[in-house]
Amino acid sequence: QVQLVESGGGLVQPGGSTRLSCTGSGLTLAEYAMNWFRQAPGKEREFVSTTSWSGDKTFYADSVRLRFTASRDNANNKAYLQMNNLKPDDTAVYYCAADRDDNGLMDYWGKGTLVTVSS
């Protein structure tokens, strides 16, 4: 059974940092481009970042560029999203997703982890 499980969410103060993890089971993450999306309360889900199979190319949404860093550890079947200088507008459920063909069509999704940025 294929699973992606996110962890690391929680309550963070504005200006703070946290790191999300995405652990894969039943699939080899090295065969997939890894993506992060988020969905804020009452809003549509939006793209956050995408990282190529090898991790040598990463693209970010304008809203998070220079604050968020996506990475991956293929040897341990994990992906990460380091989030710095968090703002209240970053409050959302964050999802990791795996894209085998790196074409923007996700093959697998995690169930998400909630990040709340508030004082």
Side-chain angles (χ1 to χ4, degrees):
Q1 181 181 0
V2 172
Q3 277 191 314
L4 295 174
V5 179
E6 302 92 341
S7 60
L11 177 63
V12 184
Q13 291 194 338
S17 300
T18 194
R19 187 177 78 158
L20 305 183
S21 299
C22 173
T23 302
S25 59
L27 77 167
T28 301
L29 292 191
E31 298 175 353
Y32 296 81
M34 291 306 298
N35 299 264
W36 289 93
F37 291 82
R38 68 184 182 183
Q39 187 167 18
K43 295 188 177 180
E44 300 275 324
R45 185 167 58 195
E46 65 176 1
F47 166 80
V48 174
S49 71
T50 185
T51 303
S52 61
W53 297 286
S54 63
D56 62 338
K57 295 180 182 177
T58 302
F59 297 96
Y60 298 95
D62 288 344
S63 58
V64 307
R65 188 175 294 119
L66 301 182
R67 298 189 299 121
F68 290 11
T69 303
S71 61
R72 58 192 303 160
D73 178 358
N74 288 338
N76 289 297
N77 232 29
K78 292 180 180 290
Y80 301 100
L81 186 66
Q82 176 68 40
M83 305 190 294
N84 298 328
N85 191 21
L86 284 160
K87 306 174 181 180
D89 284 349
D90 294 317
T91 295
V93 177
Y94 285 75
Y95 301 89
C96 66
D99 176 1
R100 188 177 186 98
D101 296 322
D102 199 9
N103 61 3
L105 300 177
M106 303 302 124
D107 295 281
Y108 301 105
W109 291 86
K111 293 184 178 180
T113 185
L114 176 63
V115 175
T116 302
V117 184
S118 175
S119 54

